[in-house]
Amino acid sequence: MNIQVKKPPLTIRLCGPRGFCAGVDRAIQIVVLALKAYGAPVYVRHEIVHNRYVVEGLEAKGAIFVEELDEIPAEHREQPVVFSAHGVPKSVPQDAEARNLFYLDATCPLVSKVHKQAMRHQRLGRHVVLIGHAGHPEVIGTMGQLPPGTVSLIETVEDADRYQPADPDNLGYVTQTTLSVDDTAGVIARLQERFPNLTAPAADSICYATTNRQEAVKEAAPGCDLFIVVGAPNSSNSKRLVEVALRAGAKRSLLVQRASELNWDEIGDIRTLGLSAGASAPEVIVDEIIAAFKERFAAEIELAITAEENENFLVNRELRGVPLTHEDMEWVNG
């Protein structure tokens, strides 16, 4: 006799927007299109985006990831090398040109905008204050747009308290695009308090996608027994979403890369689950997480949508004639 075990009820509050932003989508498309246009291998300097599933998926298609350009063998110098979505210092394309490499820059246009804002501050004689996380590729890329000694990195309110600029009346700031809006506001407020003549960038540096994903998490998190963010441990925007969920009222919050990482004993008896994904996390993994919960719970989806995103960033001119099909991107988009 078949005895059906009744599954416990679960409400999954699914955030929108979530997952890929236009900049990440564009960067992945650039590698896929380059492989179609030029054949394998296509080299990629650093992780194209911070997600192992994406990196391994592109490797399976013929991409080779390198840390530096000198790793590209002489016989492949006519093959494209793609620069990651996080942006690179000016020295990197200069090095590529010196080596006669054909490169495709996949820097997110919103990161490029921060580069231009930082360079504008410097051109107008201001010392640049960059609010961001030391060692993050985007921070390295932004600092690398400017001459040595013309930019200072501030990570926390405590850093802002300690900061002693040579000319306190001639400062301009920009921020890393993937930070928490609330944390950044605290750092900026402290800097403005100490340096009233601090000049803001011409437009907000934190990108729309970061802000939108954080707002959706704030909407969904109150009352959640658990909030899961799909993303990588080296993804700044994903880690910020975990923090935002806890601050907004989730009892617990986890960063998860794949459904296989879920520890069901630790998850325990929950009734309300919040679910979002960082800007470099594919929708297929969100689907995978939902399917894993539906195996164990009588789960119902409740949408928490706070914005609609329809941004679309064009790929490099060299690739615009190459057709991109649904099948080309099905491995990440589902």
Side-chain angles (χ1 to χ4, degrees):
M1 186 172 74
N2 255 346
I3 299 174
Q4 291 278 348
V5 177
K6 192 174 180 185
K7 296 177 182 177
L10 178 69
T11 299
I12 300 177
R13 291 183 189 161
L14 183 61
C15 290
R18 65 181 177 276
F20 282 178
C21 61
V24 164
D25 211 25
R26 173 182 179 268
I28 296 167
Q29 287 176 18
I30 287 170
V31 181
V32 169
L33 290 171
L35 284 162
K36 288 184 80 171
Y38 304 104
V42 166
Y43 286 85
V44 185
R45 184 185 178 274
H46 291 181
E47 289 188 338
I48 186 70
V49 296
H50 284 154
N51 189 275
R52 281 311 305 168
Y53 177 92
V54 171
V55 168
E56 288 167 5
L58 290 171
E59 283 176 334
K61 292 176 180 294
I64 297 176
F65 288 81
V66 295
E67 285 304 300
E68 297 302 340
L69 300 181
D70 61 9
E71 296 173 49
I72 299 173
E75 64 269 23
H76 287 160
R77 284 195 178 160
E78 291 184 2
Q79 290 298 106
V81 57
V82 180
F83 301 153
S84 82
H86 309 103
V88 294
K90 280 184 176 177
S91 58
V92 173
Q94 290 168 357
D95 184 24
E97 286 163 12
R99 295 173 185 276
N100 290 319
L101 297 174
F102 167 43
Y103 67 86
L104 295 163
D105 191 351
T107 300
C108 172
L110 298 177
V111 174
S112 297
K113 185 175 79 172
V114 173
H115 291 177
K116 288 171 188 167
Q117 290 170 345
M119 289 188 286
R120 182 174 184 274
H121 281 319
Q122 195 260 330
R123 191 172 64 249
L124 293 173
R126 301 175 193 133
H127 185 84
V128 178
V129 176
L130 171 58
I131 301 166
H133 293 306
H136 190 278
E138 185 186 323
V139 166
I140 293 167
T142 300
M143 294 183 81
Q145 306 304 308
L146 303 166
T150 62
V151 57
S152 299
L153 180 64
I154 301 289
E155 295 193 70
T156 62
V157 172
E158 291 71 30
D159 288 346
D161 280 331
R162 288 190 294 266
Y163 181 48
Q164 298 295 335
D167 185 356
D169 292 323
N170 214 11
L171 302 172
Y173 79 85
V174 293
T175 73
Q176 183 181 330
T177 63
T178 53
L179 299 180
S180 158
V181 179
D182 297 335
D183 287 348
T184 309
V187 176
I188 293 168
R190 186 69 187 108
L191 287 168
Q192 288 172 330
E193 189 181 314
R194 291 194 62 211
F195 312 112
N197 293 329
L198 177 72
T199 303
D204 189 10
S205 298
I206 294 177
C207 85
Y208 75 89
T210 299
T211 302
N212 288 349
R213 278 149 192 72
Q214 290 178 14
E215 289 302 316
V217 168
K218 287 178 188 177
E219 176 84 15
C224 282
D225 300 308
L226 175 65
F227 203 105
I228 287 177
V229 175
V230 180
N234 60 340
S235 165
S236 175
N237 78 88
S238 300
K239 290 195 290 187
R240 300 294 80 75
L241 291 178
V242 172
E243 297 162 3
V244 168
L246 288 171
R247 281 204 295 258
K251 291 176 187 170
R252 290 181 291 154
S253 188
L254 295 174
L255 185 65
V256 173
Q257 295 189 84
R258 299 296 300 270
S260 57
E261 292 180 11
L262 294 169
N263 184 325
W264 297 103
D265 292 334
E266 282 185 14
I267 288 168
D269 181 23
I270 60 172
R271 290 291 174 267
T272 306
L273 171 72
L275 181 59
S276 186
S280 47
E283 186 66 9
V284 290
I285 301 181
V286 175
D287 294 340
E288 178 185 283
I289 300 280
I290 291 171
F293 275 93
K294 283 187 170 180
E295 280 181 20
R296 292 161 178 82
F297 294 86
E300 291 190 359
I301 305 292
E302 184 180 281
L303 297 178
I305 298 173
T306 54
E308 294 289 337
E309 291 179 352
N310 49 24
E311 284 78 7
N312 179 42
F313 297 144
L314 289 174
V315 298
N316 311 67
R317 195 176 301 278
E318 298 94 329
L319 300 173
R320 289 178 197 169
V322 185
L324 185 74
T325 66
H326 170 76
E327 288 71 28
D328 290 330
M329 299 295 286
E330 196 171 14
W331 60 286
V332 283
N333 294 335

